[in-house]
Short mmCIF file of all heavy atoms in Angstrom, two decimals:
data_model
loop_
_atom_site.label_atom_id
_atom_site.label_comp_id
_atom_site.label_asym_id
_atom_site.label_seq_id
_atom_site.Cartn_x
_atom_site.Cartn_y
_atom_site.Cartn_z
N MET A 1 126.80 108.01 85.83
CA MET A 1 127.12 107.89 84.42
C MET A 1 126.37 106.72 83.79
O MET A 1 126.19 105.68 84.42
CB MET A 1 128.63 107.68 84.24
CG MET A 1 129.47 108.85 84.69
SD MET A 1 131.22 108.68 84.27
CE MET A 1 131.72 107.35 85.34
N ARG A 2 125.94 106.92 82.56
CA ARG A 2 125.27 105.87 81.79
C ARG A 2 126.15 105.50 80.60
O ARG A 2 126.62 106.38 79.89
CB ARG A 2 123.91 106.34 81.29
CG ARG A 2 122.96 106.78 82.38
CD ARG A 2 122.33 105.59 83.09
NE ARG A 2 121.24 106.00 83.96
CZ ARG A 2 121.37 106.28 85.25
NH1 ARG A 2 122.57 106.22 85.81
NH2 ARG A 2 120.33 106.64 85.98
N ASN A 3 126.36 104.23 80.39
CA ASN A 3 127.12 103.78 79.22
C ASN A 3 128.48 104.46 79.13
O ASN A 3 128.92 104.87 78.05
CB ASN A 3 126.35 104.02 77.92
CG ASN A 3 125.19 103.06 77.76
OD1 ASN A 3 125.08 102.10 78.49
ND2 ASN A 3 124.31 103.34 76.81
N ALA A 4 129.16 104.59 80.24
CA ALA A 4 130.53 105.12 80.21
C ALA A 4 131.48 103.93 80.29
O ALA A 4 131.22 102.95 80.99
CB ALA A 4 130.77 106.06 81.38
N TYR A 5 132.60 104.03 79.58
CA TYR A 5 133.54 102.92 79.52
C TYR A 5 134.97 103.41 79.74
O TYR A 5 135.26 104.60 79.71
CB TYR A 5 133.44 102.19 78.18
CG TYR A 5 132.17 101.39 78.05
CD1 TYR A 5 130.99 101.99 77.64
CD2 TYR A 5 132.14 100.03 78.37
CE1 TYR A 5 129.81 101.26 77.55
CE2 TYR A 5 130.97 99.30 78.28
CZ TYR A 5 129.81 99.92 77.87
OH TYR A 5 128.65 99.20 77.80
N LEU A 6 135.84 102.46 79.97
CA LEU A 6 137.26 102.72 80.09
C LEU A 6 137.97 102.03 78.94
O LEU A 6 137.74 100.83 78.69
CB LEU A 6 137.80 102.16 81.42
CG LEU A 6 137.26 102.80 82.69
CD1 LEU A 6 137.53 101.91 83.88
CD2 LEU A 6 137.86 104.18 82.90
N ARG A 7 138.78 102.78 78.24
CA ARG A 7 139.60 102.18 77.18
C ARG A 7 140.91 101.74 77.81
O ARG A 7 141.59 102.52 78.49
CB ARG A 7 139.86 103.19 76.06
CG ARG A 7 140.74 102.64 74.95
CD ARG A 7 141.03 103.72 73.91
NE ARG A 7 142.07 103.28 73.00
CZ ARG A 7 141.87 102.59 71.88
NH1 ARG A 7 140.64 102.29 71.52
NH2 ARG A 7 142.88 102.22 71.12
N LEU A 8 141.30 100.50 77.59
CA LEU A 8 142.56 99.96 78.11
C LEU A 8 143.63 100.18 77.05
O LEU A 8 143.57 99.59 75.96
CB LEU A 8 142.42 98.47 78.44
CG LEU A 8 141.79 98.14 79.81
CD1 LEU A 8 140.39 98.73 79.96
CD2 LEU A 8 141.73 96.65 80.03
N GLU A 9 144.59 101.03 77.37
CA GLU A 9 145.59 101.45 76.40
C GLU A 9 146.76 100.47 76.37
O GLU A 9 147.89 100.78 76.78
CB GLU A 9 146.08 102.86 76.73
CG GLU A 9 144.99 103.91 76.78
CD GLU A 9 144.47 104.27 75.39
OE1 GLU A 9 145.07 103.81 74.39
OE2 GLU A 9 143.47 105.00 75.30
N HIS A 10 146.50 99.28 75.83
CA HIS A 10 147.51 98.22 75.85
C HIS A 10 148.75 98.59 75.04
O HIS A 10 149.87 98.30 75.45
CB HIS A 10 146.92 96.92 75.29
CG HIS A 10 145.86 96.32 76.17
ND1 HIS A 10 146.14 95.78 77.41
CD2 HIS A 10 144.52 96.17 75.98
CE1 HIS A 10 145.02 95.32 77.95
NE2 HIS A 10 144.03 95.55 77.10
N GLU A 11 148.56 99.23 73.90
CA GLU A 11 149.71 99.53 73.04
C GLU A 11 150.57 100.64 73.62
O GLU A 11 151.78 100.49 73.80
CB GLU A 11 149.22 99.90 71.64
CG GLU A 11 148.58 98.73 70.91
CD GLU A 11 148.16 99.12 69.51
OE1 GLU A 11 148.51 100.24 69.07
OE2 GLU A 11 147.49 98.32 68.84
N SER A 12 149.96 101.76 73.93
CA SER A 12 150.74 102.90 74.40
C SER A 12 151.24 102.73 75.83
O SER A 12 152.28 103.26 76.20
CB SER A 12 149.92 104.19 74.28
OG SER A 12 148.68 104.03 74.94
N ALA A 13 150.50 101.97 76.65
CA ALA A 13 150.93 101.75 78.03
C ALA A 13 151.96 100.62 78.12
O ALA A 13 152.49 100.35 79.20
CB ALA A 13 149.74 101.44 78.93
N ARG A 14 152.20 99.95 77.01
CA ARG A 14 153.27 98.95 76.90
C ARG A 14 153.20 97.87 77.99
O ARG A 14 154.16 97.60 78.69
CB ARG A 14 154.63 99.63 76.93
CG ARG A 14 154.82 100.60 75.78
CD ARG A 14 156.17 101.29 75.86
NE ARG A 14 156.31 102.28 74.80
CZ ARG A 14 157.35 103.09 74.67
NH1 ARG A 14 158.35 103.02 75.53
NH2 ARG A 14 157.40 103.97 73.69
N GLY A 15 152.05 97.28 78.13
CA GLY A 15 151.92 96.16 79.06
C GLY A 15 152.13 96.54 80.51
O GLY A 15 152.77 95.80 81.26
N HIS A 16 151.62 97.69 80.92
CA HIS A 16 151.79 98.11 82.32
C HIS A 16 151.17 97.07 83.26
O HIS A 16 150.12 96.50 82.96
CB HIS A 16 151.13 99.47 82.53
CG HIS A 16 151.53 100.12 83.82
ND1 HIS A 16 151.00 99.75 85.03
CD2 HIS A 16 152.42 101.10 84.07
CE1 HIS A 16 151.54 100.48 85.99
NE2 HIS A 16 152.40 101.31 85.43
N PRO A 17 151.80 96.82 84.41
CA PRO A 17 151.27 95.82 85.35
C PRO A 17 149.84 96.09 85.80
O PRO A 17 149.14 95.16 86.23
CB PRO A 17 152.24 95.92 86.54
CG PRO A 17 153.51 96.43 85.95
CD PRO A 17 153.11 97.34 84.84
N LEU A 18 149.37 97.34 85.69
CA LEU A 18 147.99 97.64 86.07
C LEU A 18 147.00 96.86 85.22
O LEU A 18 145.89 96.54 85.65
CB LEU A 18 147.72 99.14 85.94
CG LEU A 18 146.35 99.59 86.48
CD1 LEU A 18 146.36 99.61 88.01
CD2 LEU A 18 145.98 100.97 85.94
N LEU A 19 147.39 96.53 83.98
CA LEU A 19 146.49 95.85 83.05
C LEU A 19 146.70 94.34 83.01
O LEU A 19 146.15 93.65 82.16
CB LEU A 19 146.66 96.42 81.64
CG LEU A 19 146.48 97.94 81.51
CD1 LEU A 19 146.62 98.37 80.06
CD2 LEU A 19 145.13 98.38 82.06
N ARG A 20 147.48 93.82 83.94
CA ARG A 20 147.75 92.38 83.98
C ARG A 20 146.45 91.60 84.15
O ARG A 20 145.61 91.91 84.98
CB ARG A 20 148.70 92.08 85.14
CG ARG A 20 149.18 90.63 85.20
CD ARG A 20 150.07 90.44 86.42
NE ARG A 20 151.22 91.34 86.39
CZ ARG A 20 151.80 91.82 87.49
NH1 ARG A 20 151.33 91.51 88.68
NH2 ARG A 20 152.84 92.61 87.37
N GLY A 21 146.27 90.57 83.32
CA GLY A 21 145.06 89.76 83.38
C GLY A 21 143.91 90.31 82.57
O GLY A 21 142.85 89.69 82.49
N LEU A 22 144.11 91.48 81.96
CA LEU A 22 143.06 92.11 81.15
C LEU A 22 143.51 92.27 79.70
O LEU A 22 142.96 93.08 78.96
CB LEU A 22 142.71 93.48 81.73
CG LEU A 22 142.12 93.47 83.14
CD1 LEU A 22 142.12 94.88 83.73
CD2 LEU A 22 140.71 92.90 83.14
N GLU A 23 144.50 91.47 79.29
CA GLU A 23 145.10 91.64 77.96
C GLU A 23 144.11 91.45 76.82
O GLU A 23 144.31 92.01 75.73
CB GLU A 23 146.26 90.65 77.79
CG GLU A 23 147.48 90.94 78.65
CD GLU A 23 147.36 90.43 80.08
OE1 GLU A 23 146.34 89.77 80.39
OE2 GLU A 23 148.27 90.68 80.88
N ASP A 24 143.06 90.69 77.02
CA ASP A 24 142.11 90.43 75.93
C ASP A 24 140.94 91.42 75.93
O ASP A 24 140.00 91.26 75.15
CB ASP A 24 141.57 89.00 76.01
CG ASP A 24 140.83 88.73 77.32
OD1 ASP A 24 140.98 89.54 78.26
OD2 ASP A 24 140.13 87.71 77.40
N ALA A 25 140.99 92.44 76.80
CA ALA A 25 139.88 93.39 76.90
C ALA A 25 140.27 94.75 76.34
O ALA A 25 141.14 95.42 76.91
CB ALA A 25 139.45 93.54 78.36
N PRO A 26 139.67 95.20 75.23
CA PRO A 26 139.98 96.54 74.72
C PRO A 26 139.30 97.64 75.53
O PRO A 26 139.78 98.76 75.60
CB PRO A 26 139.44 96.51 73.29
CG PRO A 26 138.35 95.47 73.32
CD PRO A 26 138.78 94.45 74.33
#
């Protein structure tokens, strides 16, 4: 893949522990 990204769903995932430490990354 070229220029593929992951969107971090902070709002809908409601602060899931999987995203801990990545709060400032959209």
Side-chain angles (χ1 to χ4, degrees):
M1 295 187 292
R2 302 282 190 267
N3 287 348
Y5 288 84
L6 295 163
R7 179 184 168 89
L8 278 58
E9 302 287 352
H10 292 292
E11 293 182 9
S12 53
R14 298 179 184 176
H16 194 282
L18 187 75
L19 304 182
R20 186 182 301 150
L22 296 167
E23 291 82 4
D24 61 345

